[in-house]
Amino acid sequence: MLEKIQIVKQRFDEVNDLIIQPDIIADQKRYIQLNKEYKDLKKIVDKGDVYKELLDNISEAEEIIADGSDAEMVEMAKMQLDEAKEDLPKIEEEIRFLLIPKDPDDAKNVVVEVRAGTGGDEASIFAGDLYRMYSKYCSNKGWKVDVVSTSEGTSGGFKEIIFEVSGEDVYGTMKFEAGVHRVQRVPQTETQGRVHTSAATVVVMPEAEEFDYELDMTEVRIERTTSTGPGGQSVNTTYSAIKLHHEPTGMIVSCQDQKSSHKNLEKALKVLRSRLYEEELRKRQAEASEKRKSMVSSGDRSAKIRTYNYPQGRVTDHRIGLTLYDLSNIIDGDIQKIIDELMLAENTELLKASDETI
């Protein structure tokens, strides 16, 4: 463990020197990457200092006990030894988790797509509920939510809503929400009081920068149209709406949220780039999860990950078998406790996999 901490400390000192170099500061992308690495390494170095202090305390206490010349000092040393030995395994475990290699995509912003699935109007209403849940959660985290495009449901909610979330380590948190979400409740239109099951699919994509995925613009057909739906005269009468057709994959991305054609094009390209990048990422995740039989992040979009049961006030996450009877708070944005459990499960899997390869 000390050897691993020393290797991290050497890299931490290197990065510490690099981030004050003028050429690094001038290169914003490199500076941001190194700054992020500095923060991650500092957590390990700080824990390492605590770990080394505990080892020193154990060594010092054992020496005093072995000497045995001062009864009062021996008594104090025994207490110090017991405390240090009790704390040591916890610190070791924390360091082992911190030493798990970080997914570089975890630090990225995300593009989220929520689509109504089976269940007609009720599915659209549920998709709207999920969007509100995520909006409140992101707001509580201090993250910014920016809607890219919407297709409204006939009785409320959304047939589809696409939005961007920007902040710190967004993908590393939001990636656990990808998959099929089911709701069991009595729809507003149901006269017999029967419980129906509806579903919505959530897709979470790390926002791909230009250097992450090189988009060949000769393969993209850009269509400019007037916007439809609400938005006032300037939105509906100018050719500001953008529709992108990616010829090789058949992907279509629309954006009409902004008054400016340039801004809509920028947003649409960001979504298209992220979709194509996520497609590659999903294949890698599927291969990785097959290797370590992961249930937490399998890359399978069709996997039913969570059920929201209104009559019982219950939310169940099927990946880890977690059931919480706190539906009203969860649907109101309090999903951190579920994400914490999923993160712990994934870290345990990764730790086991790294132990097997050593």
Side-chain angles (χ1 to χ4, degrees):
M1 182 69 82
L2 283 171
E3 200 177 309
K4 287 178 182 175
I5 292 166
Q6 190 52 40
I7 292 165
V8 171
K9 178 74 168 70
Q10 283 171 358
R11 177 60 186 162
F12 174 74
D13 290 340
E14 280 173 28
V15 174
N16 198 18
D17 289 339
L18 283 169
I19 54 175
I20 57 169
Q21 301 301 323
D23 57 326
I24 297 289
I25 294 166
D27 183 348
Q28 269 300 293
K29 281 181 187 138
R30 181 93 174 106
Y31 179 73
I32 289 164
Q33 284 169 346
L34 284 170
N35 219 25
K36 176 78 177 70
E37 188 182 354
Y38 174 85
K39 286 180 187 173
D40 290 340
L41 292 171
K42 191 174 188 308
K43 288 176 192 171
I44 303 169
V45 169
D46 289 348
K47 283 283 176 203
D49 289 342
V50 175
Y51 179 70
K52 281 184 266 190
E53 192 181 330
L54 285 173
L55 289 179
D56 290 343
N57 288 349
I58 289 169
S59 178
E60 184 188 19
E62 283 173 343
E63 278 177 29
I64 293 167
I65 293 163
D67 180 342
S69 58
D70 187 328
E72 196 177 324
M73 286 291 284
V74 167
E75 199 56 43
M76 285 171 66
K78 281 179 180 174
M79 285 171 65
Q80 181 177 302
L81 186 65
D82 289 344
E83 278 176 23
K85 281 189 171 177
E86 190 184 332
D87 290 342
L88 197 66
K90 285 185 277 185
I91 296 292
E92 276 180 342
E93 190 70 2
E94 284 174 22
I95 292 170
R96 285 173 79 219
F97 274 123
L98 287 170
L99 286 169
I100 295 167
K102 296 280 185 292
D103 182 342
D105 285 324
D106 282 355
K108 292 183 187 296
N109 295 331
V110 298
V111 175
V112 182
E113 299 182 355
V114 182
R115 290 193 192 92
T118 52
D121 288 347
E122 173 63 12
S124 295
I125 293 166
F126 178 51
D129 292 341
L130 288 177
Y131 168 66
R132 277 186 293 279
M133 178 179 85
Y134 293 135
S135 291
K136 288 189 177 181
Y137 173 69
C138 293
S139 174
N140 291 338
K141 296 277 285 184
W143 295 343
K144 184 172 177 276
V145 175
D146 197 10
V147 174
V148 175
S149 70
T150 60
S151 171
E152 293 184 4
T154 48
S155 301
F158 303 100
K159 289 176 186 169
E160 179 187 83
I161 179 163
I162 302 172
F163 57 97
E164 299 169 342
V165 184
S166 50
E168 195 172 326
D169 294 331
V170 181
Y171 182 68
T173 306
M174 289 293 289
K175 65 183 178 184
F176 295 104
E177 292 304 299
V180 177
H181 296 242
R182 293 189 311 167
V183 63
Q184 294 170 333
R185 64 185 175 191
V186 179
Q188 296 162 6
T189 50
E190 170 59 57
T191 53
Q192 304 295 314
R194 288 172 301 190
V195 173
H196 289 226
T197 299
S198 305
T201 302
V202 177
V203 178
V204 181
M205 301 171 283
E207 193 175 274
E209 303 290 343
E210 284 178 41
F211 59 86
D212 288 321
Y213 190 95
E214 204 171 319
L215 191 60
D216 185 350
M217 289 308 291
T218 61
E219 298 176 342
V220 181
R221 182 161 57 85
I222 302 169
E223 191 182 331
R224 288 180 167 84
T225 60
T226 54
S227 299
T228 56
Q233 260 186 324
S234 62
V235 172
N236 296 326
T237 56
T238 58
Y239 281 80
S240 59
I242 294 289
K243 186 181 275 190
L244 301 179
H245 302 259
H246 188 245
E247 306 293 357
T249 60
M251 276 186 195
I252 296 172
V253 176
S254 301
C255 186
Q256 60 171 46
D257 199 51
Q258 304 291 320
K259 289 178 184 178
S260 147
S261 168
H262 175 70
K263 283 185 181 172
N264 281 331
L265 177 60
E266 197 180 298
K267 275 193 170 188
L269 283 170
K270 200 182 279 184
V271 173
L272 178 59
R273 200 181 290 114
S274 297
R275 278 188 189 171
L276 292 166
Y277 180 70
E278 192 259 353
E279 197 70 34
E280 288 184 357
L281 181 67
R282 202 149 47 91
K283 286 172 190 167
R284 291 204 303 271
Q285 281 179 340
E287 285 167 16
S289 79
E290 184 57 38
K291 281 178 192 164
R292 58 185 170 89
K293 297 289 181 278
S294 171
M295 284 300 294
V296 182
S297 52
S298 64
D300 182 2
R301 282 186 187 173
S302 62
K304 292 181 178 68
I305 63 161
R306 198 176 296 152
T307 297
Y308 305 74
N309 184 301
Y310 275 72
Q312 296 174 19
R314 166 176 65 81
V315 175
T316 298
D317 197 288
H318 305 292
R319 292 164 291 183
I320 52 172
L322 175 70
T323 294
L324 297 169
Y325 289 88
D326 192 20
L327 187 143
S328 57
N329 283 325
I330 289 167
I331 208 75
D332 201 37
D334 186 11
I335 58 172
Q336 189 61 53
K337 50 199 161 201
I338 300 175
I339 289 170
D340 286 344
E341 291 294 329
L342 289 162
M343 280 180 169
L344 181 63
E346 178 162 88
N347 280 341
T348 305
E349 279 179 1
L350 289 167
L351 196 59
K352 190 180 170 196
S354 69
D355 285 349
E356 284 170 4
T357 55
I358 290 167

